[in-house]
């Protein structure tokens, strides 16, 4: 099935560093969502974006809905060990309903 | 309040058998979604219910897969004549329907031997 281009695929973080990841699509979306998934669990919703250009924060997390409606980014400031996990972007064509199309994920690990 | 729950958490079956996976959505959520996640991939859409009816089943891979939501709450995903390629984590999500914020359950890990 269709998936979004999410980058980077993986990255190592050191505590206190800022982290940035992004997602691009060949199609225009009406909604962008960012999720975090820990091993053996379902994805947990972090941030939802509904308007082009929208910038939304949730604690140390900030996400933006690109003005072209074909991209989104997620920033994590001052990372902490519990930030490790897999982050997924997801887009939806439907305004209030409809399935989500997911990226392949960005895996955050702690630098050895 | 309670989140989305899914049972069983793990299911091991043999090729050719029939399986049922259950999803209990968040109370009051009108929309319910099923996704399938393979190792190293993001979730892939299977089917979406609005109330009791399947609003979009375009993601079901073939006619061995079927899902129901008879009373507009609990949903069951049914897989007939399972194949080894059906092995994956099956995720359920629900949404209140006002915005497309989907809340996921922990998933059912299906292994077909």
């Amino acid at each position: 099935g269709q998936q979004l281009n999410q980058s980077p695929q993986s990255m190592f973080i050191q505590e206190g560093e800022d982290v940035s990841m992004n997602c691009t699509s060949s199609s225009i979306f009406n909604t962008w969502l960012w999720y975090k998934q820990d091993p053996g669990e379902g994805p947990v919703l972090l941030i939802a974006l509904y308007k082009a250009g929208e910038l939304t924060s949730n604690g140390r997390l900030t996400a933006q809905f690109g003005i072209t409606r074909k991209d989104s980014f997620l920033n994590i400031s001052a990372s902490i060990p519990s930030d490790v996990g897999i982050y997924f972007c997801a887009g939806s064509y439907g305004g209030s309903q409809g399935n989500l199309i997911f990226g392949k994920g960005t895996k955050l690990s702690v630098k050895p | 309040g309670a989140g989305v729950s899914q049972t069983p958490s793990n299911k091991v079956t043999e090729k050719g058998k029939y399986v049922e996976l259950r999803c209990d959505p968040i109370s009051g959520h009108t929309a319910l979604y099923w996704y399938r996640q393979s190792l190293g991939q993001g979730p892939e859409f299977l089917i979406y219910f609005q109330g009791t009816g399947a609003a979009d089943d375009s993601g079901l891979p073939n006619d061995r897969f079927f899902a129901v939501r008879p009373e507009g709450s609990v949903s069951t995903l049914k897989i007939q004549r399972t194949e080894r390629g059906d092995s994956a984590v099956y995720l359920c999500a629900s949404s209140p329907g006002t915005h497309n914020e989907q809340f996921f359950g922990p998933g059912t890990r299906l292994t077909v031997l």
Side-chain angles (χ1 to χ4, degrees):
Chain A
Q2 179 184 358
Q3 289 197 328
L4 305 176
N5 296 315
Q6 188 171 348
S7 64
Q9 286 186 328
S10 63
M11 58 194 311
F12 287 89
I13 59 172
Q14 205 151 43
E15 187 170 354
E17 286 182 340
D18 295 345
V19 172
S20 184
M21 60 192 78
N22 68 77
C23 214
T24 60
S25 168
S26 57
S27 305
I28 290 173
F29 286 124
N30 289 314
T31 304
W32 281 96
L33 301 163
W34 285 91
Y35 288 85
K36 178 176 185 274
Q37 187 174 30
D38 291 328
E41 298 182 10
V44 174
L45 181 63
L46 300 174
I47 291 180
L49 302 157
Y50 301 106
K51 287 169 50 176
E54 180 181 355
L55 185 71
T56 297
S57 293
N58 177 8
R60 294 178 297 104
L61 278 61
T62 301
Q64 184 158 30
F65 192 142
I67 57 172
T68 65
R69 295 165 62 194
K70 292 184 177 182
D71 62 336
S72 178
F73 72 75
L74 175 69
N75 286 341
I76 305 172
S77 63
S79 57
I80 60 177
S82 62
D83 289 335
V84 301
I86 302 178
Y87 291 78
F88 288 100
C89 61
S92 172
Y93 299 117
S96 62
Q97 303 289 345
N99 60 292
L100 298 177
I101 297 166
F102 281 82
K104 290 190 175 184
T106 293
K107 184 177 181 181
L108 248 57
S109 305
V110 176
K111 274 184 187 172
Chain B
V4 177
S5 62
Q6 292 186 245
T7 54
S9 55
N10 280 285
K11 177 69 177 178
V12 181
T13 191
E14 293 180 340
K15 181 176 179 295
K17 299 289 188 182
Y18 167 82
V19 297
E20 289 189 352
L21 312 179
R22 176 188 167 107
C23 172
D24 270 284
I26 293 171
S27 178
H29 280 194
T30 57
L32 185 148
Y33 305 79
W34 284 99
Y35 293 82
R36 179 167 71 174
Q37 187 175 26
S38 301
L39 194 62
Q41 303 292 318
E44 291 190 321
F45 170 73
L46 295 175
I47 185 169
Y48 147 53
F49 289 89
Q50 179 58 43
T52 60
D56 183 355
D57 64 357
S58 62
L60 295 177
N62 52 60
D63 61 6
R64 295 186 299 105
F65 288 74
F66 189 71
V68 295
R69 195 186 185 199
E71 297 178 358
S73 178
V74 170
S75 176
T76 305
L77 178 66
K78 309 180 181 195
I79 310 174
Q80 298 177 319
R81 304 184 304 280
T82 52
E83 300 177 356
R84 293 195 180 86
D86 298 336
S87 297
V89 174
Y90 288 81
L91 293 163
C92 175
S94 69
S95 169
T98 50
H99 289 286
N100 203 9
E101 296 179 357
Q102 296 183 22
F103 299 89
F104 283 81
T108 294
R109 179 174 297 279
L110 175 67
T111 303
V112 182
L113 301 177

